[in-house]
C-alpha cells in the first residue's frame, strides 16, 4: 500500500488496557511500514492521560495529539449529547491533519460524526458485545468499517449492524526464544502470572481463591498479579488475601511495562476472564513460551486448543482453574508441557507477528479507502443527529432532566421508543434500591402513557418509594421490566430467570447498568 496519512484515536488514556495496547501497536506497525502516523489521546476536564500511555507513545515514536472526546464500550452507554459537542473539536483536528483514513478504538461517536462531516473513512476496533444489543433499532451513528481480534465479535458486530468487519488478531513482538525450565516436582514453588486491570470481568478473585485451594492442598505456588488494583474490586481481592493469610503466596505488582521480565521468571500464566474478545496477554504468554491456562471465554477457543497449545478450563470458578492446574502438573511430570509450549509458539508465529498483522492491516486499509471512494453512502450528519435529540428533549420538561439523565438520553430515547410501540404499557422495576430509584425517575420523565405497577425485590418486603414490592411472577403481566441493579452476578441471575420466562433483553426487559454481560 502506498504511503498514507493515518490518524488514530485512543479510547481511554487513564490506563493502558488491552484495547489501548492493540491500537497503539497497530499504529506502531503502520509507522514502521512507512506511513505517516499520528496518535490522538483523549483529555477530559482536569484529567490528562496517564504517564504510562505517553511513555508507550514515546517508545513507539508516535506523533502525539490531544482532543476532547469520550469512547464507550457498548451501544447503550453512549452519551450522544457529549459526542455531538465534542465533534467540533475533532473536525478541527482532522482538518489540520487531512488523513486518508481514521482508526479508533471502541465506540467513538464523536470521531464517527466528524469523519462523516469531512468524508474520511473511519475504522473502529470494537470488542465484546451481547447479541441482544441489536434488538434496538439504533439511529445510524455507528461505523461502516469495523475490526475485532476474534472471529466471534467480528461476525457479531458485522451481522448486527450490517457493516463490513474483519478479524485482525492481536500483534505482539517480543519473547525471544529460550529454554524454559518446566517444573516437575511438587515441592518446587510454581510461579504463576496474572495480568490485567482488576475488575469483575477479569475475575481475578477466582484466581486468588484457586491459590487458596493450592495452599489447602499443599501445592507450592506463588501468584504474581500485574495490573492496576486501586479500585473497589482490587480492594476486595486484597482483603480476601489478608483474610485468608495468603500474603506470602500472592504479590500485587501493579501496572508494568516490562512484562517480559516477569514472563522470564514465570512457569504458568492463568486467565480467568468471563468477558473478553481475545486477550492479548495470551498472545504474550505464547510468544514468551509460558504455558497458558484460560477460561473458554469468547474467542479464546478459536486459537487455544485444550491439551494442544494450552489448557482450557471447563468453567469460570476457582475449582475449574484448580482442575486445569492438576492437569498441568500431570503433563509436566510426563514431560509433555514442552510440546504444548512449542505448539503455542507456532500459534503465535502463524497469527500474531508484526509482519502477519501488518499485512492484514495494510490490505484492510487499502480496501476501505477504495470501497469508501466507490460507494455512495448516505449518512446521518451531526446536525441531523443533533436535531433528532433536541426534538426528543423538547418533548419532556427540561427542569426534570438531571445531568446524569442527559448523559443517558441515547439509551432512554431508544428504550422508551420501543416501550411506546407496545400494547402492554405496564412497567415493573426489578430492584428496590438506588438504581430502582433512578429508573423510577426515567419512567416519570420519559414514560408518557405507561403504568408503573411496583418493584420486585427478593430480599425486601412492603413498599419502596410509596410503591408496592411485589412478587417476581408479576413480570408475566408487564410489557416491560427494568433490571435495576449494579452487581454483575445479580444481573446475570435475574436475566437468566427472565429468559427462562421467554423474555428478551432490549425488547421485553432493559438493564439500568449496561455493559457486555456474557453468560457463563
Amino acid at each position: 500500500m502506498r504511503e498514507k496519512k493515518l490518524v488514530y484515536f485512543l479510547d481511554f488514556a487513564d490506563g493502558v488496557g488491552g484495547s489501548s495496547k492493540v491500537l497503539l501497536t497497530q499504529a506502531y506497525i503502520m509507522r514502521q511500514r512507512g506511513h505517516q502516523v499520528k496518535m490522538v489521546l483523549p483529555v477530559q476536564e482536569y484529567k490528562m492521560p496517564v504517564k504510562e500511555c505517553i511513555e508507550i507513545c514515546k517508545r513507539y515514536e508516535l506523533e502525539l495529539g490531544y482532543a476532547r472526546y469520550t469512547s464507550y464500550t457498548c451501544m447503550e452507554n453512549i452519551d450522544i449529547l457529549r459526542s455531538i459537542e465534542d465533534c467540533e473539536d475533532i473536525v478541527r483536528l482532522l482538518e489540520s491533519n487531512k488523513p486518508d483514513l481514521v482508526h479508533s478504538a471502541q465506540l467513538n461517536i464523536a470521531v464517527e460524526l466528524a469523519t462523516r462531516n469531512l468524508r474520511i473513512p473511519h475504522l473502529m476496533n470494537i470488542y465484546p458485545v451481547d447479541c441482544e444489543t441489536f434488538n434496538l433499532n439504533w439511529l445510524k451513528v455507528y461505523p461502516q468499517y469495523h475490526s475485532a481480534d476474534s472471529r466471534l465479535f467480528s461476525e457479531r458486530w458485522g451481522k448486527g449492524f450490517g457493516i463490513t468487519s474483519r478479524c485482525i488478531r492481536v500483534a505482539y513482538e517480543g519473547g525471544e526464544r529460550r529454554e524454559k525450565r518446566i517444573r516437575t516436582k511438587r515441592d518446587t514453588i510454581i510461579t504463576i502470572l496474572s495480568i490485567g486491570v482488576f475488575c469483575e470481568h477479569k475475575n481475578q478473585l477466582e484466581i486468588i481463591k484457586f491459590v487458596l485451594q493450592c495452599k489447602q492442598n499443599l501445592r507450592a505456588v506463588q501468584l504474581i498479579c500485574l495490573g492496576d488494583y486501586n479500585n473497589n474490586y482490587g480492594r476486595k481481592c486484597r482483603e480476601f488475601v489478608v483474610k485468608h493469610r495468603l500474603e506470602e503466596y500472592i504479590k500485587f505488582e501493579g501496572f508494568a511495562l516490562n512484562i517480559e521480565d516477569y514472563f522470564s521468571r514465570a512457569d504458568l500464566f492463568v486467565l480467568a476472564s468471563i468477558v473478553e474478545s481475545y486477550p492479548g496477554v495470551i498472545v504474550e504468554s505464547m510468544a514468551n513460551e509460558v504455558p497458558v491456562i484460560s477460561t473458554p471465554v469468547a474467542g479464546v477457543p478459536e486459537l487455544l486448543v485444550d491439551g494442544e497449545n494450552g489448557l482450557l478450563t471447563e468453567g469460570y470458578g476457582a475449582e475449574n482453574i484448580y482442575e486445569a492446574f492438576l492437569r498441568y502438573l500431570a503433563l509436566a511430570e510426563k514431560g509433555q508441557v514442552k510440546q504444548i509450549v512449542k505448539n503455542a509458539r507456532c500459534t503465535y508465529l502463524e497469527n500474531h507477528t508484526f509482519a502477519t498483522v501488518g499485512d492484514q492491516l495494510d490490505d484492510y486499509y487499502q480496501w476501505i479507502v477504495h470501497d469508501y471512494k466507490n460507494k455512495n453512502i448516505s449518512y446521518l450528519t451531526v446536525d441531523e443527529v443533533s436535531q433528532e435529540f433536541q426534538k426528543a428533549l423538547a418533548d419532556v420538561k427540561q427542569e426534570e432532566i438531571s445531568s446524569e439523565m442527559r448523559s443517558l438520553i441515547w439509551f432512554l430515547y431508544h428504550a422508551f421508543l420501543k416501550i411506546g410501540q407496545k400494547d402492554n404499557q405496564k412497567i415493573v422495576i426489578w430492584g428496590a434500591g438506588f438504581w430502582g430509584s433512578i429508573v423510577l425517575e426515567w419512567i416519570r420523565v420519559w414514560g408518557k402513557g405507561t403504568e408503573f405497577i411496583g418493584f420486585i425485590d427478593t430480599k425486601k418486603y412492603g413498599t419502596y418509594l410509596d410503591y408496592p414490592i411485589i412478587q417476581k411472577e408479576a413480570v408475566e403481566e408487564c410489557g416491560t421490566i427494568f433490571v435495576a441493579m449494579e452487581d454483575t452476578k445479580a444481573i446475570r441471575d435475574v436475566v437468566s430467570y427472565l429468559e427462562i420466562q421467554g423474555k428478551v433483553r432490549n425488547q421485553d426487559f432493559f438493564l439500568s447498568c449496561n455493559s457486555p454481560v456474557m453468560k457463563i
Side-chain angles (χ1 to χ4, degrees):
M1 184 173 78
R2 70 169 179 83
E3 179 185 309
K4 292 192 179 298
K5 292 187 71 174
L6 308 170
V7 174
Y8 294 81
F9 285 83
L10 202 65
D11 50 357
F12 311 113
D14 56 352
V16 185
S19 59
S20 299
K21 289 173 70 175
V22 166
L23 193 73
L24 287 163
T25 303
Q26 289 174 337
Y28 177 54
I29 291 171
M30 291 296 101
R31 190 191 67 76
Q32 283 186 318
R33 290 183 166 228
H35 301 292
Q36 295 183 49
V37 171
K38 183 168 189 172
M39 177 63 66
V40 181
L41 307 183
V43 292
Q44 302 298 337
E45 294 179 21
Y46 313 112
K47 197 171 184 180
M48 289 293 290
V50 296
K51 63 178 182 179
E52 291 86 359
C53 183
I54 296 174
E55 283 176 12
I56 292 174
C57 291
K58 289 180 178 177
R59 181 201 294 178
Y60 288 169
E61 297 180 351
L62 300 176
E63 180 188 349
L64 277 177
Y66 301 89
R68 186 186 68 183
Y69 62 89
T70 304
S71 302
Y72 309 94
T73 57
C74 70
M75 285 293 289
E76 292 87 346
N77 284 344
I78 290 171
D79 184 340
I80 192 65
L81 299 181
R82 171 175 282 189
S83 296
I84 291 168
E85 291 171 1
D86 292 344
C87 181
E88 187 175 340
D89 197 27
I90 305 298
V91 167
R92 284 195 296 268
L93 185 148
L94 294 177
E95 282 179 328
S96 66
N97 286 272
K98 295 181 171 55
D100 298 294
L101 181 142
V102 172
H103 192 166
S104 67
Q106 303 294 6
L107 283 156
N108 195 323
I109 304 306
V111 170
E112 173 61 22
L113 294 174
T115 55
R116 292 181 182 189
N117 185 302
L118 299 172
R119 301 296 296 172
I120 301 170
H122 176 208
L123 168 64
M124 283 193 203
N125 296 347
I126 325 175
Y127 300 99
V129 64
D130 295 333
C131 293
E132 295 82 0
T133 285
F134 305 107
N135 289 338
L136 284 171
N137 185 25
W138 303 104
L139 278 177
K140 294 183 179 181
V141 300
Y142 41 79
Q144 291 301 301
Y145 304 102
H146 170 265
S147 69
D149 50 22
S150 66
R151 289 193 303 273
L152 172 70
F153 288 118
S154 176
E155 292 170 1
R156 189 171 289 182
W157 281 103
K159 181 180 178 181
F161 280 148
I163 60 175
T164 300
S165 179
R166 288 192 189 180
C167 172
I168 297 179
R169 298 293 183 183
V170 175
Y172 174 73
E173 200 162 86
E176 296 182 2
R177 299 212 61 173
R178 55 193 166 78
E179 289 296 319
K180 283 290 296 180
R181 181 162 59 95
I182 305 300
R183 310 287 188 176
T184 59
K185 296 181 180 180
R186 290 183 176 178
D187 60 350
T188 300
I189 294 177
I190 296 174
T191 301
I192 302 170
L193 267 184
S194 167
I195 303 176
V197 175
F198 275 73
C199 62
E200 285 189 10
H201 290 168
K202 298 291 184 184
N203 205 28
Q204 288 100 332
L205 184 57
E206 292 303 311
I207 303 177
I208 293 170
K209 290 179 180 178
F210 146 71
V211 173
L212 177 59
Q213 284 188 254
C214 290
K215 176 186 177 183
Q216 293 169 339
N217 290 281
L218 304 179
R219 305 284 183 183
V221 302
Q222 182 181 59
L223 174 66
I224 298 175
C225 298
L226 302 182
D228 184 12
Y229 53 81
N230 293 309
N231 53 44
N232 289 335
Y233 186 77
R235 283 190 287 275
K236 182 178 178 181
C237 290
R238 285 179 288 151
E239 288 169 2
F240 186 93
V241 168
V242 172
K243 179 179 179 180
H244 295 276
R245 299 179 180 178
L246 293 171
E247 292 93 337
E248 107 181 59
Y249 295 85
I250 299 174
K251 305 298 179 185
F252 296 90
E253 299 286 326
F255 177 81
L257 284 171
N258 59 326
I259 59 167
E260 288 80 10
D261 293 342
Y262 288 93
F263 278 123
S264 69
R265 303 193 299 269
D267 302 298
L268 186 63
F269 172 78
V270 174
L271 182 131
S273 295
I274 57 178
V275 176
E276 289 282 2
S277 179
Y278 191 93
V281 285
I282 288 181
V283 177
E284 294 164 355
S285 300
M286 289 177 164
N288 285 280
E289 299 185 338
V290 175
V292 175
I293 291 176
S294 174
T295 53
V297 62
V300 169
E302 293 173 4
L303 292 178
L304 191 68
V305 181
D306 185 52
E308 291 187 21
N309 58 0
L311 294 171
L312 289 173
T313 64
E314 291 189 358
Y316 297 79
E319 66 281 2
N320 304 115
I321 300 171
Y322 187 71
E323 184 276 330
F325 178 66
L326 294 181
R327 288 196 286 130
Y328 161 79
L329 291 179
L331 290 167
E333 289 181 350
K334 296 175 184 176
Q336 295 176 356
V337 171
K338 280 188 176 182
Q339 186 59 49
I340 289 177
V341 169
K342 183 178 179 181
N343 294 343
R345 175 80 184 183
C346 290
T347 301
Y348 156 71
L349 292 172
E350 291 170 5
N351 297 277
H352 301 288
T353 64
F354 279 14
T356 298
V357 174
D359 286 345
Q360 293 173 353
L361 280 171
D362 255 336
D363 180 67
Y364 197 22
Y365 285 178
Q366 181 70 30
W367 182 88
I368 288 172
V369 171
H370 176 78
D371 181 71
Y372 191 83
K373 287 180 179 178
N374 287 276
K375 71 179 181 183
N376 185 22
I377 303 175
S378 178
Y379 289 122
L380 280 175
T381 66
V382 64
D383 288 338
E384 289 170 333
V385 176
S386 178
Q387 288 168 12
E388 182 66 29
F389 283 93
Q390 292 305 321
K391 184 173 65 176
L393 285 170
D395 291 336
V396 298
K397 294 179 179 179
Q398 295 297 306
E399 63 272 14
E400 294 181 340
I401 302 179
S402 64
S403 58
E404 291 79 11
M405 198 180 295
R406 284 181 65 86
S407 70
L408 291 166
I409 281 176
W410 172 259
F411 171 63
L412 297 174
Y413 169 88
H414 289 93
F416 281 96
L417 188 64
K418 172 76 79 171
I419 294 169
Q421 295 168 349
K422 298 180 180 182
D423 293 331
N424 185 343
Q425 293 287 294
K426 291 182 179 180
I427 300 177
V428 67
I429 298 174
W430 195 315
F434 171 76
W435 277 103
S437 66
I438 296 295
V439 174
L440 183 58
E441 283 303 305
W442 297 351
I443 296 169
R444 285 173 176 166
V445 175
W446 296 89
K448 290 181 180 178
T450 63
E451 178 188 354
F452 177 60
I453 67 170
F455 295 90
I456 296 172
D457 197 304
T458 57
K459 297 180 180 179
K460 295 180 180 178
Y461 305 93
T463 62
Y464 180 64
L465 300 177
D466 297 326
Y467 287 95
I469 296 177
I470 53 185
Q471 299 297 310
K472 62 183 180 180
E473 287 76 16
V475 298
E476 288 300 320
E477 65 177 278
C478 292
T480 303
I481 305 101
F482 275 96
V483 180
M485 50 190 66
E486 190 173 20
D487 180 75
T488 304
K489 184 180 182 305
I491 292 172
R492 285 199 185 90
D493 290 343
V494 173
V495 168
S496 295
Y497 174 83
L498 293 174
E499 289 179 338
I500 290 171
Q501 306 306 311
K503 306 296 183 181
V504 178
R505 181 182 164 195
N506 282 347
Q507 182 173 304
D508 303 308
F509 69 91
F510 301 90
L511 306 184
S512 61
C513 297
N514 284 284
S515 65
V517 184
M518 305 299 290
K519 299 168 182 63
I520 58 176

